[in-house]
Amino acid sequence: ITIVVGWTAILSNSIYGLFAPRVMGYGQSQLSATYSAAAVLMVATQIVFPRIIAKFGEHKACMAGILAVATGIGGQSLTRVQPLHSLLYMINR
């Protein structure tokens, strides 16, 4: 599971860098802002993550993470409307 989710995160991040400018019309500044916001969200998640594990347990937290990645990637493939598309990208992170 870790390898699949990790590889998915790497591929979705690199492919989004190609997808967003061509399909969504992002410029470099918009793409950089999206990546920066996702990085801040990932750091914040790492700070809160131990509390989530303590409260819900390892299995439920893992299940929630896998569902979040599936929702983010699946939703991005179906919608092009902003800000929903960016929100799904953040959920994917």
Side-chain angles (χ1 to χ4, degrees):
I1 293 174
T2 302
I3 293 171
V4 170
V5 172
W7 190 246
T8 301
I10 291 168
L11 285 177
S12 68
N13 197 27
S14 61
I15 291 171
Y16 194 76
L18 301 171
F19 169 81
R22 291 192 180 129
V23 176
M24 301 296 291
Y26 281 14
Q28 184 61 43
S29 61
Q30 291 170 313
L31 188 59
S32 296
T34 302
Y35 280 153
S36 296
V40 168
L41 182 64
M42 289 170 51
V43 169
T45 301
Q46 293 301 316
I47 293 170
V48 177
F49 193 66
R51 295 181 194 151
I52 294 171
I53 295 292
K55 185 172 183 174
F56 296 108
E58 294 175 0
H59 296 292
K60 288 182 182 177
C62 182
M63 181 185 65
I66 291 170
L67 288 175
V69 169
T71 301
I73 292 173
Q76 281 182 293
S77 69
L78 298 174
T79 185
R80 304 284 187 267
V81 178
Q82 289 295 2
L84 181 59
H85 192 267
S86 292
L87 177 66
L88 290 167
Y89 178 76
M90 298 301 165
I91 289 172
N92 184 27
R93 297 290 94 215

